[in-house]
Amino acid sequence: MYISEKAKSISPSTTLAIDAKFKQMKADGIDVVGFGAGEPDFDTPQYIKDAAIKAINEGKTKYTPAAGTVELRKAICKKLKDENGLDYTFDQIVVSNGAKHSLVNAFQAILNPGDEVIIPAPFWVSYPEMVKLADGVPVILQTTEEDEFKFTAEAFKAAINDKTRALVLNSPSNPTGMVYTKEELSAIAKVAIENNIYVISDEIYEHLVYEGEVTSIAAICPEMKDLTIIINGVSKTYAMTGWRIGYSAAPAPIAKVMSNIQSHATSNPNSIAQAATVAALSGGQDEIAVMKKAFRERRDYMVERINAIEGVSCLKPQGAFYVLMNISALKGRYIGDTLIGSSDDFANALLERAKVALVPCSGFGNDNFVRWSYATSMENIKEGIDRVENFIKLTH
Ligand code: PMP
Ligand code: GLU
């Protein structure tokens, strides 16, 4: 069958593949514990659901402008002003079908064939594939655990050449959980401005920070704001993964082309979910505080337990809801007669024998790690870690 070279070069999403496998095992009655897709276990707050029901009853069931309703885009501008100190007008905002879709639109808008995009590793699995979909070339910038998985302005500068068009910045990061300080962002911004490089700033975990402050790189200075495409959404903060609403804030000419692209690909995102998002952004933040407190407790417990297991270790993440577990000391060991040669081997054997789903970081640009998500109950976390501990004891 004829399939394009581009389509053939795209790998499936590991996070979603693990999650699908976990959900299928569960549906088959298998006692499996899942830490795959980063999806809050909390339900969407009631006031948001009520707004959606009201929207249906009021007939907000028609097409909206492709970039989203003016009401929602104005609510997003207010959020950006109040929380990030940033001034945007509603024509600079494009609402999409999840932040994933906003990212896809952004790369389509700024890349010509062969343009390079710098992606610091470990990275969220979808970034390189999105760049490839837009005919761009992902350039991986490795970071180390010793440097808390953060790249320096010098390393960024060294990775730039004539073809470099953009940098992907994800703070707090999926999968590392690390957060860049204002000083680090200022140094990165200086390099971006000097070399006229766009920064795709994925801020979807901005509300999930447990230590320190989070800053948007767009807030560093006006010149940086003119080079930044902010990506955000309601999936993580408001436990709204299934509603599929994300958004971007960008210089007006970029927002215009992103909207044009979207108008042909999907038209507007769901009108009811848009109305619910207005309520989410404008509503009380009490539920968010409750979820954040729970995430923090789970993180603390998980980090302590992992570091007490012989053969593995992890850093304490400052944000998001992921922990990267270093399994490099287990590579070369066996479980039964199966060799653990890679993070995939570890994750497959763990799922098969101990019925625990973790994400191998081969798809995240560093094969020495597997990713846990602590967006699941404390009970699951305890059970999962007990199983992993016993599994590792059996390796030889
Ligand atoms: N960016 C990052 C870093 C993520 O982890 C996710 C998770 N899905 C997304 C973007 C996309 O989120 P969504 O499409 O659900 O808004
Ligand atoms: N972003 C989440 C994760 O990394 C959800 C799954 C996905 O979209 O990749 O697990």
Side-chain angles (χ1 to χ4, degrees):
M1 187 168 295
Y2 190 88
I3 290 176
S4 76
E5 290 307 317
K6 183 155 84 181
K8 277 194 253 174
S9 79
I10 305 298
S11 320
S13 160
T14 357
T15 47
L16 296 184
I18 297 275
D19 192 52
K21 208 166 172 180
F22 157 72
K23 285 179 177 154
Q24 186 57 51
M25 284 171 83
K26 218 173 157 103
D28 292 344
I30 298 169
D31 173 25
V32 58
V33 204
F35 301 90
E39 174 166 46
D41 51 320
F42 300 101
D43 198 2
T44 305
Q46 191 59 44
Y47 74 95
I48 300 173
K49 292 184 187 177
D50 290 343
I53 293 163
K54 187 160 170 272
I56 294 175
N57 288 332
E58 284 177 353
K60 292 187 177 168
T61 52
K62 309 282 187 204
Y63 290 134
T64 74
T69 62
V70 173
E71 188 190 12
L72 176 53
R73 283 185 284 160
K74 285 190 171 166
I76 292 166
C77 291
K78 185 171 181 318
K79 177 256 173 251
L80 289 165
K81 178 72 183 163
D82 295 349
E83 294 183 1
N84 310 96
L86 292 167
D87 284 303
Y88 283 97
T89 49
F90 78 89
D91 58 335
Q92 295 180 280
I93 311 296
V94 179
V95 185
S96 301
N97 300 281
K100 209 174 234 182
H101 186 204
S102 305
L103 285 158
V104 168
N105 285 339
F107 292 122
Q108 296 286 342
I110 60 167
L111 297 181
N112 273 321
D115 283 350
E116 294 186 1
V117 178
I118 299 175
I119 304 175
F123 47 78
W124 175 47
V125 65
S126 291
Y127 296 135
E129 309 308 299
M130 290 167 168
V131 169
K132 287 195 271 171
L133 277 171
D135 294 321
V137 178
V139 174
I140 307 307
L141 181 60
Q142 272 301 340
T143 66
T144 62
E145 198 175 20
E146 292 70 38
D147 291 331
E148 295 190 317
F149 299 116
K150 291 199 230 178
F151 66 93
T152 60
E154 292 71 39
F156 169 37
K157 194 173 176 178
I160 294 172
N161 64 42
D162 290 351
K163 290 188 178 149
T164 311
R165 182 71 54 220
L167 164 77
V168 174
L169 186 71
N170 178 213
S171 172
S173 155
N174 173 7
T176 72
M178 293 305 157
V179 179
Y180 285 82
T181 64
K182 202 169 178 180
E183 291 66 38
E184 288 164 342
L185 291 177
S186 296
I188 294 166
K190 190 165 176 283
V191 176
I193 293 163
E194 276 166 10
N195 294 278
N196 204 27
I197 307 286
Y198 287 123
V199 175
I200 312 285
S201 182
D202 183 344
E203 303 177 5
I204 195 150
Y205 295 102
E206 69 166 337
H207 282 282
L208 300 175
V209 177
Y210 315 105
E211 263 104 39
E213 292 284 300
V214 71
T215 309
S216 170
I217 194 165
I220 296 293
C221 61
E223 293 85 346
M224 190 61 243
K225 182 167 171 256
D226 288 345
L227 283 170
T228 305
I229 303 178
I230 291 180
I231 305 289
N232 210 327
V234 289
S235 285
K236 317 289 174 175
T237 307
Y238 300 93
M240 289 176 70
T241 44
W243 298 69
R244 309 309 303 131
I245 295 289
Y247 58 87
S248 56
I254 295 181
K256 177 94 188 81
V257 293
M258 286 174 70
S259 170
N260 290 348
I261 291 165
Q262 179 163 302
S263 73
H264 293 294
T266 66
S267 302
N268 59 279
N270 181 296
S271 59
I272 299 149
Q274 286 190 62
T277 300
V278 173
L281 294 179
S282 327
Q285 305 288 303
D286 297 354
E287 283 91 344
I288 302 180
V290 171
M291 293 191 256
K292 192 171 153 179
K293 185 168 171 284
F295 287 140
R296 190 197 179 109
E297 284 165 12
R298 296 166 183 184
R299 174 199 68 162
D300 292 348
Y301 176 80
M302 188 178 263
V303 168
E304 201 180 316
R305 284 285 315 270
I306 288 174
N307 282 322
I309 302 175
E310 182 275 322
V312 292
S313 62
C314 68
L315 295 182
K316 190 172 195 172
Q318 295 141 9
F321 38 54
Y322 307 102
V323 169
L324 274 191
M325 183 167 83
N326 189 328
I327 57 150
S328 55
L330 302 181
K331 281 185 172 176
R333 287 196 199 174
Y334 282 82
I335 175 88
D337 52 12
T338 307
L339 172 69
I340 301 174
S342 65
S343 63
D344 286 272
D345 291 346
F346 178 85
N348 285 333
L350 187 73
L351 187 56
E352 212 169 278
R353 287 167 181 263
K355 308 286 182 277
V356 178
L358 298 184
V359 183
C361 290
S362 48
F364 290 69
N366 195 325
D367 193 44
N368 283 332
F369 295 88
V370 290
R371 189 190 78 175
W372 293 78
S373 158
Y374 49 89
T376 186
S377 70
M378 198 60 141
E379 194 188 347
N380 276 347
I381 293 172
K382 284 184 180 151
E383 178 63 24
I385 298 180
D386 286 347
R387 291 189 193 189
V388 168
E389 191 166 24
N390 291 331
F391 173 86
I392 291 174
K393 276 188 195 142
L394 294 174
T395 60
H396 51 93

